[in-house]
Amino acid sequence: MANPFLTLRNIDKQYNNEQVLRDIDFEIAEDEFVAIVGMSGGGKSTLLRIIAGLEEPSSGTIKFHEHEPVVRFMFQDDRILPWMSVLENLSFKSRDPKSKTRAVEMLNLVGLSEFADYYPSALSGGQRQRVALARALMARPQLLLLDEPLGALDALTRRKMQQLIMQICHEQHLMAVLVTHDVDEAARMADRVIVIRNGTNRFEEVGAKGRDAAAVSEVSDKLFDEIVNTAY
Ligand SMILES: Nc1ncnc2c1ncn2[C@@H]1O[C@H](COP(=O)(O)OP(=O)(O)O)[C@@H](O)[C@H]1O
Ligand SMILES: [Mg+2]
């Protein structure tokens, strides 16, 4: 790969006697949007935590080709604080007065400028996920780790959020690793989709990001076959 940002080599992970990941081996290039798909319980979240440095692999290496890049997470549950306004949720961690300006900019970016003073309980699920996205962007990350972030949303909101995330990653030159069991979402959003099966990655497919519905459906069918029909 020409400009790798991240290289994973021969990653194994065991919990007690359970082998969750084995011989995971891939690279992620600068500016790439990668999706990782696989069955529930297949080790996807574990892999993301390893990439984030929150967990050590049992063996194998993980290398960022840049010194200490900024990496941020977004999860299915939004983890926003109910006793703070939307704006405070974004800016409370920093004493820098510029942080409030940045928070206003990020709310603008996710289309929530009018909701800065709202409390989270007054927001819809989709709006709360937009707050979570804006908060993840506060630290100017180079890499976003998305762990099934849209799993709890209704289908229409989900499609809108997919578009918003793709657009923001493109405009802000953000790399992303999206973990999902939804092959359609992976096909639609990613430049490249990596399948995790039996704890390892031996199959990948070019994503259908920015292409038409027929292309998305073709890619997602292939992914589905790979995961389900040949899985066990
Ligand atoms: N901290 C942990 N301790 C023990 N087992 C774990 C831990 N985290 C995950 N596992 C196990 O690892 C397997 C993969 O989990 P996970 O990475 O969450 O899968 P996925 O995100 O693909 O659904 C599961 O069997 C889960 O029970
Ligand atoms: Mg998971």
Side-chain angles (χ1 to χ4, degrees):
M1 182 172 282
N3 288 311
F5 177 77
L6 171 65
T7 304
L8 298 157
R9 289 280 173 258
N10 312 111
I11 299 277
D12 277 45
K13 180 70 184 178
Q14 289 121 10
Y15 288 114
N16 309 317
N17 287 327
E18 188 191 359
Q19 181 93 23
V20 176
L21 298 172
R22 60 187 171 88
D23 206 15
I24 294 280
D25 207 281
F26 63 84
E27 293 171 310
I28 295 174
E30 302 264 358
D31 275 343
E32 223 184 353
F33 194 122
V34 171
I36 296 176
V37 295
M39 300 284 277
S40 200
K44 304 182 297 299
S45 294
T46 302
L47 181 56
L48 268 200
R49 287 198 303 273
I50 289 173
I51 292 175
L54 298 174
E55 197 136 14
E56 288 283 317
S58 304
S59 63
T61 58
I62 166 159
K63 179 179 186 258
F64 285 96
H65 294 258
E66 187 173 309
H67 187 61
E68 295 188 4
V70 181
V71 178
R72 282 293 177 274
F73 253 110
M74 186 176 163
F75 299 97
Q76 176 165 328
D77 74 67
D78 51 61
R79 303 182 186 198
I80 52 184
L81 304 173
W83 60 87
M84 285 185 188
S85 73
V86 165
L87 190 71
E88 286 163 348
N89 261 284
L90 266 55
S91 58
F92 79 96
K93 276 192 181 150
S94 168
R95 296 213 172 132
D96 184 349
K98 285 198 198 112
S99 137
K100 202 173 156 191
T101 314
R102 171 91 182 154
V104 170
E105 279 169 21
M106 291 305 101
L107 285 181
N108 197 19
L109 195 66
V110 301
L112 284 182
S113 5
E114 276 129 65
F115 296 85
D117 297 326
Y118 279 52
Y119 281 83
S121 59
L123 301 180
S124 68
Q127 288 170 329
R128 292 166 66 102
Q129 282 309 71
R130 283 195 265 164
V131 176
L133 175 60
R135 186 190 47 196
L137 298 172
M138 282 295 288
R140 301 175 199 275
Q142 287 141 290
L143 175 63
L144 266 188
L145 301 177
L146 306 165
D147 194 348
E148 316 240 15
L150 311 180
L153 303 178
D154 67 85
L156 286 174
T157 308
R158 189 170 181 137
R159 284 288 291 274
K160 278 181 74 178
M161 277 300 287
Q162 289 171 352
Q163 283 173 355
L164 181 68
I165 291 173
M166 286 162 68
Q167 183 196 332
I168 287 175
C169 286
H170 178 70
E171 287 171 4
Q172 311 279 315
H173 301 286
L174 261 167
M175 278 163 276
V177 180
L178 167 73
V179 154
T180 179
H181 58 262
D182 181 340
V183 288
D184 184 78
E185 180 162 281
R188 191 181 298 285
M189 293 181 74
D191 297 307
R192 185 159 59 103
V193 185
I194 296 171
V195 173
I196 302 281
R197 213 181 80 200
N198 297 332
T200 196
N201 68 298
R202 287 291 167 272
F203 181 86
E204 59 180 56
E205 184 67 38
V206 176
K209 184 170 102 179
R211 293 169 58 206
D212 62 13
V216 170
S217 138
E218 190 183 323
V219 172
S220 82
D221 283 351
K222 270 194 204 165
L223 295 170
F224 180 79
D225 282 349
E226 185 63 25
I227 295 167
V228 176
N229 294 348
T230 49
Y232 298 103

